Amino acid sequence: VQLQASGGGLVQGGGSLRLSCAASGRTSNNYSMGWFRQAPGKEREFVARYRRNGDSIAYADFAKGRFTISIDKAKNTVYLQMDSLKPEDTGAYFCALGNRLILSSTTDPDKYDYWGQGTLVTVSS
C-alpha cells in the first residue's frame, strides 16, 4: 500500500486548507485511515480517522468543530478539511492506513501499518 498526501501550504490564521491522501494497493475490508500531525519538537499526535468497519469517524478534541475528515471510496482518497486554522495547528500532517485495527487502537499512530510522506501546514498569526 502506498499513500500520497498533498494539500499543505502557508495560510493565515482563520483560513482553511484541504489535505488529500490517495491510497493505492490492496487493503483489508476493515481498514482505518487516519490523519496525524507533528509539530517541531513534539510527538506525533492523532487528528482524525475514518474506520471502514462501521463507517465511523473520530476526531481529536482540538479538531472537533474545525476539521472534517471525509472519504471518497471510489478514488481511495481521504480528505481533511481544516477550517478556522490557528498558529498552533502548524506542523507536518501525515496520513496513515491500518488494517484490522480494533476501535481503541485507531488513535494510536504506532498501530498503523502504512504512512504517507507528510505535507507541511504553516499557519501564520
Side-chain angles (χ1 to χ4, degrees):
V1 175
Q2 291 187 324
L3 303 175
Q4 183 69 40
S6 61
L10 173 64
V11 64
Q12 282 191 329
S16 298
L17 283 173
R18 188 193 194 206
L19 307 184
S20 300
C21 178
S24 59
R26 296 191 66 176
T27 64
S28 70
N29 289 329
N30 180 18
Y31 63 85
S32 297
M33 289 193 75
W35 286 99
F36 296 83
R37 70 183 187 183
Q38 188 166 18
K42 294 188 177 181
E43 293 187 351
R44 194 167 296 189
E45 64 176 348
F46 168 73
V47 177
R49 65 96 175 120
Y50 165 82
R51 188 167 183 256
R52 178 67 180 86
N53 191 356
D55 218 18
S56 69
I57 285 173
Y59 297 95
D61 286 344
F62 65 79
K64 293 177 181 177
R66 298 192 300 127
F67 295 1
T68 304
I69 188 172
S70 60
I71 188 164
D72 184 332
K73 297 175 186 176
K75 295 182 179 179
N76 290 329
T77 299
V78 65
Y79 303 95
L80 185 68
Q81 176 68 40
M82 303 187 295
D83 300 316
S84 302
L85 283 163
K86 304 175 182 179
E88 51 263 45
D89 294 319
T90 293
Y93 283 69
F94 299 86
C95 61
L97 186 146
N99 285 313
R100 303 182 185 89
L101 301 186
I102 61 175
L103 186 60
S104 61
S105 296
T106 58
T107 60
D108 182 352
D110 291 337
K111 302 300 184 184
Y112 281 74
D113 303 298
Y114 305 97
W115 288 84
Q117 82 283 10
T119 185
L120 185 61
V121 172
T122 304
V123 184
S124 63
S125 56

